[in-house]
Amino acid sequence: CERVSGLFRQALTQAAVSFTDFTRTSEPRHQRAVRHFWGALRDSGTLYKGSYEGWYCTPEECFLPESQLAERRDAQGRPCKVSLETGHQVHWTKEENYMFRLSAFRDPLQKWLRDNPRAISPDPFYQHVLRWLDEDLPDLSVSRERSRLQWGIPVPSDSTQTIYVWVDALVNYLSVVGYPERHGEWWPAAHHVVGKDILKFHAVYWPALLMAAGLAPPERIFVHSHWTVRGQKMSKSLGNVIDPSACIGRYTLDGFRYFLLRQGVPERDCDYYDEKVVKLVNSELADALGGLLNRSTALSINPSNTYPCFSESCFPKVLDYRETNGIGMASAEDYEFVASVASLPLQVASYFEGFQIYKALECVALCVRQTNSFFQRHRPWKLNRKDPAEQLWLDTVIHVTLECLRVFGTLLQPVIPHTADKLLSRLGVEPEERGLSSLTFLPRYSGKPCPFEGRQLGPDTGVLFHRLERPRQHQTETRKL
């Protein structure tokens, strides 16, 4: 466990994922919280000692009902029962445990979910939990015989029993925010992010245990699906497990983060394969975003290397962009595109808030394409600098393009931190000017001053994002063909 925990810490650091706290359930603060939580359950009268028997799955540390089992044959060809969901073998087990009156919480759980339809999202998982609550909710075995499970927290005042690992583990959400003294600062305004395979523990058992202990359920449980590899579930036996460390080395940290967040749809399993990563990252980061920055800051287009001025006469503010004929240089399409980028920060913030990162990135990618079309449409390289009117329009086209890039760079900071930093530094945007909350696009269009106008751009940082090479296997296959 020391080694595996170390690997998780290392993976998070390597993936540039920061955390306020990294808890382990072997820590004294956690063990103290678990003992206190057990005491609250005992005092509420929801625990009782009873004999329990059923099909037990050791890898999952839980009893499974007959409806969740399937008949299979083991390695020796003998018939056996396995978990339908995971394929792990189960064994008939009988022992005396402490039981939790889960059955008494069916109505309170249903009421909680009816009153809080956003408590579990995305919606398919919310509906799934409601269906579970329509079925019988048997009492839950919340301890194991100490003789069989010595590694764990002993039941207070009964050293013959060990607290069930899931009850112990779930309490870490409380121990990490200072339970039982200081948790009120955070709880219940907590969001849990969990995989769909542990939904029942988080959306049925945990809220019921919290209610029994006199606490509110967490504000939100966000559930995500899994990654498959070329349509198959990852498994050690198939040898198709993906090493994130190798992917970061192959696609760069930002490239891999961008792919996972752009393609990861929480509601359903998503498929991973090398060619897909390379195609997406090259198309959207190297070509569309990187190409746009490169073209709009090139010395041939912008020899002064500044954030040029915006001309209100070239791009006047209009109430209805469909009636722009004869006014300024901008077309109806330009007004439509500018409106689309102007609405982007709020749109992205809303999707981020709802954990729909893929939708936020979809919107950004669309606006990047529109900005490229805008730049291509007006061909600034063809404009004559010696003509004052054309010079004004050239500056305006570049100003609008750089403003778009500034918005994209600011919004993409949580997803591709290094690339976003490189982009914003090239535009001369200072670290204190990169906040999401104060992001205003193209203020000059609304007659307000733009702090970047006339400012010297940052030093040339070279290619924003280097194109990835196609996977070697794919290149070999192509050569064979």
Side-chain angles (χ1 to χ4, degrees):
C1 275
E2 283 287 342
R3 186 182 66 80
V4 172
S5 171
L7 288 172
F8 271 92
R9 269 183 175 271
Q10 186 184 315
L12 290 171
T13 304
Q14 196 181 8
V17 176
S18 61
F19 46 84
T20 313
D21 203 318
F22 185 101
T23 189
R24 292 198 53 195
T25 54
S26 52
E27 293 172 12
R29 61 170 174 169
H30 174 73
Q31 296 188 31
R32 179 172 161 269
V34 171
R35 286 192 288 269
H36 190 279
F37 190 80
W38 184 273
L41 293 178
R42 184 190 57 223
D43 295 347
S44 71
T46 54
L47 296 181
Y48 64 94
K49 208 164 188 182
S51 184
Y52 193 90
E53 60 181 311
W55 294 103
Y56 189 71
C57 179
T58 303
E60 294 169 57
E61 288 288 4
C62 68
F63 285 95
L64 293 171
E66 199 76 45
S67 59
Q68 288 177 25
L69 302 176
E71 297 279 352
R72 295 280 188 276
R73 292 197 174 271
D74 65 16
Q76 284 73 42
R78 294 173 303 210
C80 66
K81 286 185 183 286
V82 299
S83 162
L84 260 178
E85 189 160 349
T86 64
H88 292 139
Q89 195 169 343
V90 296
H91 303 278
W92 189 261
T93 307
K94 182 176 182 177
E95 61 183 40
E96 193 175 47
N97 300 144
Y98 283 94
M99 306 293 292
F100 170 64
R101 296 186 197 280
L102 182 63
S103 53
F105 288 88
R106 189 173 159 197
D107 290 346
L109 286 169
Q110 286 177 325
K111 183 180 185 315
W112 164 59
L113 288 177
R114 278 196 302 270
D115 293 348
N116 300 279
R118 280 170 46 83
I120 298 166
S121 63
D123 188 63
F125 297 111
Y126 172 77
Q127 300 299 338
H128 203 65
V129 176
L130 285 178
R131 285 196 295 275
W132 276 335
L133 295 175
D134 281 338
E135 300 166 6
D136 283 340
L137 209 56
D139 287 351
L140 182 67
S141 166
V142 287
S143 73
R144 300 288 180 265
E145 286 178 0
R146 189 82 183 153
S147 59
R148 196 164 69 79
L149 193 67
Q150 286 151 20
W151 202 37
I153 302 172
V155 167
S157 70
D158 187 348
S159 58
T160 68
Q161 295 278 316
T162 300
I163 295 173
Y164 175 40
V165 66
W166 266 104
V167 175
D168 168 356
L170 287 162
V171 175
N172 93 81
Y173 291 118
L174 289 173
S175 59
V176 83
V177 291
Y179 179 83
E181 293 89 13
R182 299 189 326 277
H183 61 284
E185 296 169 33
W186 276 92
W187 201 269
H191 287 50
H192 298 343
V193 181
V194 304
K196 65 176 185 179
D197 51 330
I198 50 175
L199 178 58
K200 185 172 274 186
F201 296 98
H202 283 82
V204 177
Y205 303 161
W206 179 225
L209 288 162
L210 285 163
M211 289 173 184
L215 294 164
E219 191 174 293
R220 193 155 185 213
I221 300 165
F222 177 74
V223 190
H224 63 79
S225 298
H226 295 162
W227 283 96
T228 56
V229 177
R230 296 189 183 275
Q232 285 186 303
K233 189 174 180 177
M234 279 194 225
S235 82
K236 287 178 185 171
S237 56
L238 285 174
N240 65 347
V241 175
I242 301 297
D243 176 5
S245 177
C247 291
I248 289 169
R250 197 179 309 146
Y251 309 126
T252 75
L253 172 58
D254 279 8
F256 193 46
R257 282 171 64 117
Y258 185 80
F259 171 78
L260 292 176
L261 290 166
R262 172 82 166 89
Q263 293 286 299
V265 179
E267 293 93 320
R268 60 176 185 273
D269 288 353
C270 297
D271 202 32
Y272 167 94
Y273 50 93
D274 288 330
E275 298 90 336
K276 193 177 185 180
V277 186
V278 172
K279 188 177 177 184
L280 177 88
V281 171
N282 280 348
S283 157
E284 295 189 358
L285 292 186
D287 299 346
L289 190 64
L292 184 63
L293 178 68
N294 191 38
R295 294 165 85 197
S296 56
T297 56
L299 282 176
S300 55
I301 291 281
N302 187 357
S304 63
N305 196 41
T306 56
Y307 215 98
C309 295
F310 177 89
S311 164
E312 286 160 338
S313 60
C314 290
F315 211 131
K317 186 164 185 180
V318 293
L319 293 173
D320 188 346
Y321 62 78
R322 285 163 296 193
E323 297 171 8
T324 55
N325 290 349
I327 308 175
M329 308 282 284
S331 66
E333 207 172 347
D334 298 335
Y335 282 98
E336 205 172 334
F337 138 70
V338 161
S340 154
V341 179
S343 66
L344 189 62
L346 272 180
Q347 215 172 13
V348 166
S350 168
Y351 283 135
F352 276 0
E353 190 64 32
F355 290 97
Q356 293 179 301
I357 314 294
Y358 74 103
K359 285 192 176 178
L361 296 183
E362 212 171 80
C363 294
V364 174
L366 174 64
C367 284
V368 172
R369 285 199 299 274
Q370 287 179 314
T371 313
N372 269 302
S373 299
F374 165 77
F375 196 82
Q376 187 66 30
R377 190 161 56 244
H378 295 298
R379 300 169 179 257
W381 58 91
K382 294 270 189 187
L383 294 171
N384 181 4
R385 291 178 192 287
K386 291 175 182 167
D387 180 331
E390 288 202 19
Q391 176 68 56
L392 278 179
W393 179 230
L394 170 64
D395 286 350
T396 302
V397 169
I398 297 171
H399 181 97
V400 171
T401 305
L402 297 187
E403 274 290 276
C404 291
L405 281 163
R406 182 175 66 84
V407 167
F408 304 148
T410 306
L411 294 174
L412 288 169
Q413 286 175 111
V415 179
I416 46 171
H418 301 104
T419 305
D421 173 58
K422 199 172 174 183
L423 190 159
L424 294 170
S425 297
R426 178 69 179 105
L427 297 180
V429 182
E430 298 296 336
E432 64 275 10
E433 298 171 315
R434 300 178 182 186
L436 294 172
S437 54
S438 56
L439 182 58
T440 313
F441 168 65
L442 205 58
R444 292 280 279 108
Y445 176 71
S446 305
K448 293 170 186 160
C450 172
F452 306 98
E453 196 171 53
R455 187 186 290 189
Q456 197 70 26
L457 294 180
D460 187 352
T461 46
V463 175
L464 180 67
F465 193 96
H466 288 275
R467 282 179 64 82
L468 301 174
E469 285 185 27
R470 285 186 302 168
R472 285 196 186 91
Q473 179 191 359
H474 183 70
Q475 290 174 336
T476 307
E477 286 168 1
T478 310
R479 280 200 296 272
K480 281 179 187 170
L481 286 170

